[in-house]
């Protein structure tokens, strides 16, 4: 059962045995199959922080068809760019934050400004950021989207997911609702399915940065067993077809030894908009004890222009 696996991997004492966690780095082809079809025809998008698609490694989980795994396709500089965006820009108004409800931030300041630019240095606020929503705002209580509650999506995030969708041959994907999840080392995300979108057939893109996670993917009901997979910084999970409807969650965050955001492999492939070094020093400090997940959904059906 999903709940049993979740409890097992969540436990700190005793610490779980991790030998059954699928590790894409070890390329064990008994549980995943590589997808090599269509990768050569796309241009290089260094401007999106990506390595050339010919170098990408893409897998499908054998036990969850439609669960696609792209092993970190980002350059180190790309990781720095997206991590900094998720911290400095995306938690700004008019986007919504978990902190809004508790009125923990004044209207005239942002989480980033308040945590890192204010001379008082608000440390307690730093660990309290859990999510921010962009585009159609996911209402966590009603689980509904509404035409009355949406902000404009940043074009670079739309361009990134449109490109990913094209590489994977999904036609007509539109990013319309984005949740950015922020995890501390002791955070978890309980098992759930994402079914608030009118268009439940469109794939969902889930991009991870920072510390490692164990991702559990189960079946269509809570009763089915769940498969654990390591997610590392830069890894992208695409939930398409059957897997789009499956239970999933994050029972554990694990410290990462390898830091793909640190290496210098892309110095000659500059992003169009570079990351300010002072901003990156703040962001790299944050990410040393945190994980960020960018969860991108299409909400509307093809041809639909608004919610009812
Ligand atoms: C979600 C989700 C998974 C993750 O936001 O709905 O499932 O990897 N996130 O954080
Ligand atoms: Mn989810």
């Amino acid at each position: 059962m999903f709940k049993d696996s979740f409890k097992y991997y969540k436990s700190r004492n005793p610490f779980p045995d991790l030998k059954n966690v699928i590790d894409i780095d070890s390329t064990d082809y008994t549980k995943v199959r590589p997808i090599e079809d269509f990768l050569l025809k796309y241009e290089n998008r260094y401007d999106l922080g990506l390595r050339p698609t010919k170098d990408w490694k893409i897998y499908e989980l054998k036990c969850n068809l439609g669960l696609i795994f792209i092993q970190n396709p980002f350059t180190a500089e790309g990781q720095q760019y997206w991590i900094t965006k998720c911290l400095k820009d995306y938690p700004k108004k008019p986007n919504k934050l978990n902190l809004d409800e508790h009125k923990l931030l004044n209207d005239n300041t942002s989480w980033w400004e308040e945590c890192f630019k204010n001379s008082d240095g608000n440390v307690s606020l730093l660990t309290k950021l859990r999510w921010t929503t962009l585009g159609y705002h996911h209402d966590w209580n009603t689980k509904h989207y509404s035409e009355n509650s949406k902000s404009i999506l940043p074009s670079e995030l739309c361009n990134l997911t449109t490109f990913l969708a094209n590489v994977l041959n999904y036609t007509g994907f539109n990013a319309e609702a984005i949740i950015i999840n922020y995890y501390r080392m002791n955070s978890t995300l309980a098992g759930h399915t994402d079914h608030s979108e009118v268009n439940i057939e469109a794939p969902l893109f889930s991009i991870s940065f920072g510390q490692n996670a164990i991702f559990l993917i189960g079946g269509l009901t809570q009763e089915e067993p769940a498969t654990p997979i390591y997610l590392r910084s830069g890894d992208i999970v695409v939930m398409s077809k059957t897997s789009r409807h499956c239970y999933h969650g994050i029972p554990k965050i694990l410290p990462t030894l390898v830091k793909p955001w640190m290496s210098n492999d892309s110095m000659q492939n500059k992003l169009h908009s570079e990351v300010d070094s002072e901003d990156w020093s703040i962001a790299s400090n944050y990410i040393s004890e945190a994980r960020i997940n960018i969860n991108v959904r299409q909400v509307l059906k093809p041809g639909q222009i608004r919610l009812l």
Side-chain angles (χ1 to χ4, degrees):
M1 272 193 25
F2 190 93
K3 281 208 168 89
D4 298 325
S5 302
F6 195 91
K7 212 171 143 197
Y8 178 77
Y9 286 107
K10 183 181 172 178
S11 170
R12 301 213 155 250
N13 194 7
F15 196 85
D17 185 343
L18 303 179
K19 71 174 189 308
N20 289 329
V21 182
I22 297 180
D23 183 350
I24 296 287
D25 281 356
S26 75
T27 47
D28 172 1
Y29 292 152
T30 58
K31 293 179 179 166
V32 299
R33 79 179 175 89
I35 303 181
E36 278 156 359
D37 314 355
F38 30 65
L39 283 179
L40 293 167
K41 59 182 187 246
Y42 288 98
E43 78 269 45
N44 299 340
R45 294 299 301 268
Y46 293 119
D47 62 314
L48 294 172
L50 294 165
R51 288 186 278 121
T53 48
K54 67 173 173 41
D55 299 334
W56 292 18
K57 294 202 166 64
I58 309 185
Y59 304 89
E60 181 171 26
L61 224 66
K62 286 185 184 169
C63 61
N64 269 88
L65 292 183
L67 199 289
I68 309 290
F69 188 106
I70 309 176
Q71 187 175 22
N72 175 25
F74 295 94
T75 60
E77 203 179 35
Q79 296 219 6
Q80 297 180 10
Y81 171 79
W82 290 111
I83 291 168
T84 307
K85 280 268 174 206
C86 286
L87 297 172
K88 188 181 177 191
D89 292 344
Y90 300 154
K92 277 187 187 154
K93 294 280 128 202
N95 300 333
K96 290 197 176 178
L97 283 69
N98 68 304
L99 304 170
D100 295 346
E101 214 174 301
H102 310 287
K103 303 250 181 309
L104 290 171
L105 272 177
N106 295 330
D107 286 345
N108 53 9
T109 186
S110 70
W111 174 81
W112 173 273
E113 291 282 327
E114 198 60 22
C115 287
F116 307 117
K117 298 287 157 162
N118 187 333
S119 53
D120 302 334
N122 195 335
V123 181
S124 77
L125 203 59
L126 184 135
T127 58
K128 289 200 177 100
L129 180 64
R130 282 293 129 85
W131 53 261
T132 169
T133 54
L134 301 78
Y136 282 114
H137 298 297
H138 187 257
D139 183 318
W140 300 84
N141 297 318
T142 63
K143 300 220 181 341
H144 278 127
Y145 297 106
S146 150
E147 212 51 56
N148 302 326
S149 176
K150 64 175 186 181
S151 56
I152 292 173
L153 285 176
S155 58
E156 69 280 359
L157 263 179
C158 297
N159 294 342
L160 175 67
T161 41
T162 299
F163 182 69
L164 294 174
N166 284 341
V167 171
L168 295 175
N169 279 340
Y170 300 122
T171 45
F173 179 82
N174 276 323
E176 287 160 345
I178 299 183
I179 301 175
I180 304 187
N181 296 292
Y182 305 85
Y183 296 82
R184 306 301 300 176
M185 298 311 287
N186 58 0
S187 307
T188 61
L189 177 68
H192 65 279
T193 59
D194 295 303
H195 54 256
S196 308
E197 298 71 28
V198 182
N199 185 345
I200 201 86
E201 308 306 324
L204 181 156
F205 293 84
S206 176
I207 308 169
S208 298
F209 291 112
Q211 302 301 304
N212 294 344
I214 295 179
F215 175 73
L216 267 185
I217 177 81
L220 296 171
T221 69
Q222 294 254 35
E223 278 61 52
E224 288 165 60
T227 308
I229 316 169
Y230 284 113
L231 297 185
R232 297 191 171 88
S233 194
D235 290 344
I236 301 177
V237 167
V238 187
M239 301 176 77
S240 73
K241 301 182 187 153
T242 312
S243 79
R244 178 68 178 78
H245 309 267
C246 289
Y247 276 87
H248 59 281
I250 302 281
K252 199 182 236 65
I253 306 295
L254 292 163
T256 169
L257 301 174
V258 184
K259 297 178 177 163
W261 56 88
M262 282 304 195
S263 70
N264 272 335
D265 63 5
S266 59
M267 285 318 280
Q268 67 276 46
N269 306 316
K270 289 282 181 214
L271 275 173
H272 288 330
S273 39
E274 287 175 41
V275 182
D276 177 84
S277 65
E278 192 189 320
D279 288 347
W280 172 242
S281 114
I282 293 169
S284 69
N285 209 14
Y286 177 91
I287 209 70
S288 68
E289 288 181 277
R291 168 178 186 261
I292 297 175
N293 171 256
I294 308 178
N295 214 267
V296 186
R297 298 115 187 253
Q298 174 160 343
V299 174
L300 303 173
K301 297 212 164 167
Q304 188 179 356
I305 48 169
R306 48 170 289 139
L307 288 167
L308 294 174

